[in-house]
Structure formats: structure tokens, C-alpha cells
Amino acid sequence: MANIQLYFFPASPFCRSVRMTAKALGVPLELKQRSYHNKDHLSPEFTKINPDQIVPTIIDGDFTLWESRAIMRYLVGKFGGEDNSLYPRDLQKRAEVDRLLDFDLGVIYRALFENLVIPLRYKKLPKTTKEQDETIMKAFGRIDTLVKDKKFLTGNNLTIADFAMVVEFADEVLYSGDMSKYPNAMAWYKRMQELPYYQEVNQPFYDLVENMKNPAETS
């Protein structure tokens, strides 16, 4: 099986969800790391590959695809076999996964990533307003409700919706509030962290946050 090329930023949530999907499927990726701060995605070379200048982007033979949710669906469709619980063929089960993917992008991403992570792009730790705190707490509370009495977001089976949402939930490391208010979400988060590939894929994000919290002293 020829390796699929993945152009990615290591700490990007969208790239991390794609990498976890590939790991879960056992699909090898030829990693093409790019630097956001060096603006590698804006280079003429990469623009020829992806005119939208975004990652993740994959190249599978003569086929190029971007947008993380499209890539996750593609990987399961191509490598997941006849029916794979990561993105099930059953119409209603698949619709539930799609709903959660859309909900994550429209609500959870905007609440957590935009309020907690965007400042990191400017090498600043987040300082949230009261209004932002309310938005963040509402997002965490919604996830807490979603996984109540469930092992994963849709039930007992791991899906690509879990991958998409957990990379946003990981932003809790930047949140100064009390996460014990969300016991169901934290239990789900722990289960996701116990996946054999979770730490490898997500460590660059945690390293970035740690470096921001404890910048190296310069002489």
C-alpha cells in the first residue's frame, strides 16, 4: 500500500484528528510537516498543491484532498473495509456522526479554539472575558451531556466524531476554570487519552502550550 502524503501542522487540531483516524485504521502516512509561523502553507510550492493554502491536505496518488472531515471520511471509506464503526454505513448511525461533526465545527470549535487557542498564534496565553467564559463553559457542559452514560459520543463505538471533538476538548489545558464540573466529559477525555496513538499524535499541542506557559529564558 503506497503511503498517503499528509501536509500538516503538528499542533493543529484538524491535522491531529486526521492523524488519529489514520492510526486507528492502520494507514501509514508520509508526513510532510509544515510550519505555521514560517508561513510554509503560503509558499508557491504548496499553493500549487492546494490553492486554498490550508492543512491538513493529503495526496493519494493523483488525488488531492483537504478539509479534515472530508479526509477522515475518505480514509474510512477507502481503508475501513465493508463497514467500519468509525464511520458506519448504516444511514441513521452515519447521520448521527455527521451531526456531531457539524456540531463540533459550528459550536465546539468556535467556543474553545477561537477563545482559547487563537491567542497562541500570536504567542500569547488566553485571557478570557466573562462572556467568553460563559461560551466556553456552555461548550464543556454540552459535551458533558453528550457523553453521559456513554463510552463515546455515539455510544460504545469510537467514531471519527470523537477524534474531531477531542482535539478541541484538549484545549481545556488552557482553561483556568474548574473542570470537575464536567465529570462525564473528563471520563470520556481520559478514555480518548488512553488510545495507544493519542499521546504520539497530540503531544505537539501539549508541548506548545507548555512552552507558552514556561518560555525558555534568554540571556
Side-chain angles (χ1 to χ4, degrees):
M1 178 170 57
N3 286 4
I4 292 177
Q5 295 180 352
L6 172 67
Y7 290 81
F8 76 113
F9 299 149
S12 159
F14 304 123
C15 297
R16 286 182 279 136
S17 63
V18 166
R19 290 190 64 197
M20 282 196 288
T21 301
K23 290 282 188 181
L25 293 166
V27 177
L29 297 175
E30 182 181 340
L31 298 178
K32 301 284 189 177
Q33 183 173 326
R34 293 298 180 262
S35 168
Y36 176 82
H37 291 294
N38 291 342
K39 299 183 179 180
D40 293 344
H41 57 301
L42 304 181
S43 69
E45 175 193 14
F46 185 70
T47 301
K48 290 179 181 178
I49 295 170
N50 181 344
D52 287 339
Q53 301 176 318
I54 59 174
V55 295
T57 295
I58 64 168
I59 298 178
D60 183 13
D62 59 0
F63 178 64
T64 303
L65 182 67
W66 53 94
E67 296 293 347
S68 62
R69 286 154 179 78
I71 295 172
M72 288 191 288
R73 293 178 178 116
Y74 175 78
L75 291 176
V76 178
K78 181 168 183 177
F79 301 104
E82 191 64 28
D83 189 17
N84 193 299
S85 59
L86 285 174
Y87 192 51
R89 290 188 180 276
D90 178 87
L91 184 60
Q92 293 183 357
K93 291 179 180 179
R94 177 169 287 199
E96 187 175 6
V97 175
D98 286 333
R99 174 181 65 82
L100 289 165
L101 289 170
D102 290 346
F103 173 72
D104 173 66
L105 184 60
V107 177
I108 302 301
Y109 165 77
R110 295 186 64 183
L112 302 183
F113 187 85
E114 293 184 4
N115 289 312
L116 292 174
V117 179
I118 289 296
L120 295 183
R121 291 184 174 179
Y122 306 99
K123 300 185 177 181
K124 296 179 180 179
L125 291 172
K127 294 182 179 179
T128 55
T129 64
K130 181 181 179 180
E131 182 179 358
Q132 287 175 316
D133 281 338
E134 290 175 352
T135 300
I136 291 165
M137 288 187 291
K138 185 176 180 180
F140 284 140
R142 187 69 185 96
I143 296 173
D144 195 68
T145 301
L146 281 170
V147 293
K148 184 179 180 181
D149 302 322
K150 295 178 184 176
K151 188 175 180 180
F152 298 108
L153 286 170
T154 63
N156 290 324
N157 293 321
L158 181 69
T159 73
I160 58 174
D162 290 284
F163 294 147
M165 203 169 294
V166 77
V167 294
E168 306 299 352
F169 190 86
D171 299 343
E172 63 86 24
V173 71
L174 292 162
Y175 179 57
S176 59
D178 182 7
M179 292 304 295
S180 67
K181 296 178 180 178
Y182 317 105
N184 302 314
M186 291 303 290
W188 164 75
Y189 184 38
K190 182 179 179 181
R191 281 190 290 274
M192 294 299 294
Q193 289 177 308
E194 291 171 348
L195 294 171
Y197 42 81
Y198 181 91
Q199 206 62 35
E200 175 190 349
V201 171
N202 290 280
Q203 192 60 46
F205 168 71
Y206 296 117
D207 289 344
L208 174 64
V209 173
E210 186 63 26
N211 290 337
M212 292 298 301
K213 289 183 175 180
N214 300 290
E217 294 184 5
T218 56
S219 57

